[in-house]
Amino acid sequence: MKYDVIGIGNAVMDMIAPVDDFFLSEMAIQKGIMQLIEAERADFLHGALPDYQVIPGGSVANSVAGVGNLGLKTAFIGKVNDDEIGRAYVDQTRAGGTVCPNDPVKGGDLPSSRSMILVTPDGERSMNTYLGISSEVGPQDVPEDVCSEARILFLEGYLYDKDKGKQAFETAAKLTRSAGGQAGIALSDPFCVDRHRDDFRKLVKELDYVIGNEHEWKSLYQTDDLSLALETAAGDSGLIVCTRSGHDVVLVRGSEQASAPVKEITPVDATGAGDQFAAGFLYGLATGADLATSGRMGCVAAAEVISHYGARPEADLKELFRKEGLI
């Protein structure tokens, strides 16, 4: 296979700015949540930002970048416009070593997507995301030569918010799995699960692995009992992973169950913790590590990314894995 891990999801440029609580109240931003905004609001907030970093983002794109940091061959399938933000997104992604098969769309109807991520001194992030053209990704954007050459495909649950995204997702999964690869999904967030519960329950049964946090799993099976939710999921799926903020990660594959301990650290910026957990876990899956080791790899990668601004690793993750005795 040409690629170890590929992903399909929203291509969103992150604009990360350290701010105080006063700035949030001045801008009428609710702290700690992800808010979808329209283009006019995006332009206003962009203009009001103090100093900020510009880093390619999007949940699955961040995970793929993390896997690339670990030395595996990666590709990311997304959609950007041929504007300043879109060109920078593709250039930076490729410069980071990830194949970006889709060039910016010339004359696209919508601007490229961006997320203003406002980080307060307590490490809490408040995200204001304009989805733009990235949410228009469809089956025509899925390159057969990439998907059929991938060992592992990682899908973003948010794509289910549009029919064409759902079709892109299903096209990619079919191509990868028919060529002998594995396909899995991140549940994305509890509200996303609420919107697409029936589809996601079906996917849990059809795909090779599913990653979610405790709130997403409970939402999926409409219960407050996490044990019951995971027991049901384990009966449905080949491999399930449940992250629990500050607590051990639970991994279940058939009759095999493992847990991975989390070492608590105070976050500088919580952006990307789940994305990089997925990166570490997928690296373990791609390299044949056992469940407990794969889970621990995810925890180490997540701990690295919350120790600095931005949703992508800055340290050499492989070196961190070596120090932990994981490789």
Side-chain angles (χ1 to χ4, degrees):
M1 293 288 188
K2 189 174 176 183
Y3 302 101
D4 296 300
V5 176
I6 66 170
I8 178 169
N10 285 307
V12 183
M13 186 65 94
D14 287 344
M15 298 174 170
I16 304 168
V19 301
D20 54 22
D21 288 318
F22 179 73
F23 182 88
L24 296 184
S25 61
E26 282 286 287
M27 294 291 138
I29 291 166
Q30 191 177 338
K31 185 174 179 176
I33 67 161
M34 196 281 279
Q35 183 78 44
L36 289 178
I37 57 175
E38 296 302 323
E40 191 177 343
R41 172 73 169 163
D43 289 340
F44 170 74
L45 283 180
H46 188 180
L49 286 184
D51 289 342
Y52 60 92
Q53 287 179 280
V54 179
I55 305 170
S59 179
V60 161
N62 289 334
S63 299
V64 169
V67 176
N69 172 288
L70 284 155
L72 298 189
K73 290 191 172 115
T74 56
F76 174 67
I77 300 160
K79 193 165 195 168
V80 298
N81 197 2
D82 188 18
D83 52 23
E84 187 180 353
I85 290 174
R87 289 189 294 273
Y89 189 97
V90 169
D91 289 347
Q92 288 184 42
T93 300
R94 289 172 176 166
T98 290
V99 171
C100 209
N102 297 337
D103 290 325
V105 177
K106 293 193 183 299
D109 293 337
L110 295 168
S112 294
S113 311
R114 61 203 135 129
S115 182
M116 274 63 78
I117 301 174
L118 309 172
V119 186
T120 40
D122 57 4
E124 190 66 73
R125 60 188 173 150
S126 307
M127 301 171 69
N128 297 265
T129 304
Y130 168 63
L131 281 179
I133 198 171
S134 77
S135 64
E136 296 298 309
V137 68
Q140 75 280 1
D141 301 306
V142 175
E144 185 173 345
D145 59 333
V146 173
C147 294
S148 58
E149 283 287 342
R151 294 171 62 198
I152 295 174
L153 168 68
F154 189 37
L155 304 156
E156 188 170 300
Y158 287 126
L159 286 189
Y160 260 66
D161 282 336
K162 290 204 171 178
D163 284 343
K164 61 176 76 172
K166 179 177 173 179
Q167 290 159 14
F169 186 110
E170 291 171 349
T171 300
K174 188 174 179 183
L175 286 167
T176 298
R177 297 184 86 210
S178 61
Q182 298 182 68
I185 183 177
L187 294 175
S188 292
D189 77 30
F191 303 110
C192 187
V193 173
D194 287 342
R195 293 192 295 273
H196 307 294
R197 185 171 288 108
D198 290 344
D199 278 328
F200 283 3
R201 282 192 184 177
K202 188 163 163 264
L203 284 171
V204 169
K205 293 180 178 177
E206 291 174 354
L207 296 178
D208 300 292
Y209 65 92
V210 182
I211 303 173
N213 65 33
E214 56 188 315
H215 308 295
E216 291 154 4
W217 284 115
K218 288 195 282 193
S219 171
L220 186 65
Y221 293 104
Q222 295 175 287
T223 176
D224 288 328
D225 184 340
L226 180 62
S227 297
L228 176 62
L230 295 183
E231 190 180 320
T232 308
D236 285 347
S237 177
L239 168 58
I240 64 156
V241 182
C242 176
T243 59
R244 302 179 299 155
S245 186
H247 297 90
D248 290 5
V249 175
V250 177
L251 306 98
V252 185
R253 179 165 47 203
S255 59
E256 182 187 1
Q257 182 162 338
S259 65
V262 171
K263 291 179 184 170
E264 286 228 40
I265 64 169
T266 304
V268 172
D269 170 15
T271 311
D275 304 342
Q276 293 313 317
F277 171 83
F281 166 75
L282 290 171
Y283 176 82
L285 193 63
T287 56
D290 61 37
L291 285 190
T293 302
S294 299
R296 185 73 194 119
M297 286 172 168
C299 295
V300 171
E304 188 283 335
V305 84
I306 65 173
S307 69
H308 57 76
Y309 285 119
R312 298 191 173 190
E314 290 181 353
D316 180 340
L317 292 181
K318 210 176 230 185
E319 191 52 41
L320 296 179
F321 289 177
R322 280 195 193 95
K323 283 181 183 168
E324 292 281 337
L326 300 173
I327 54 175

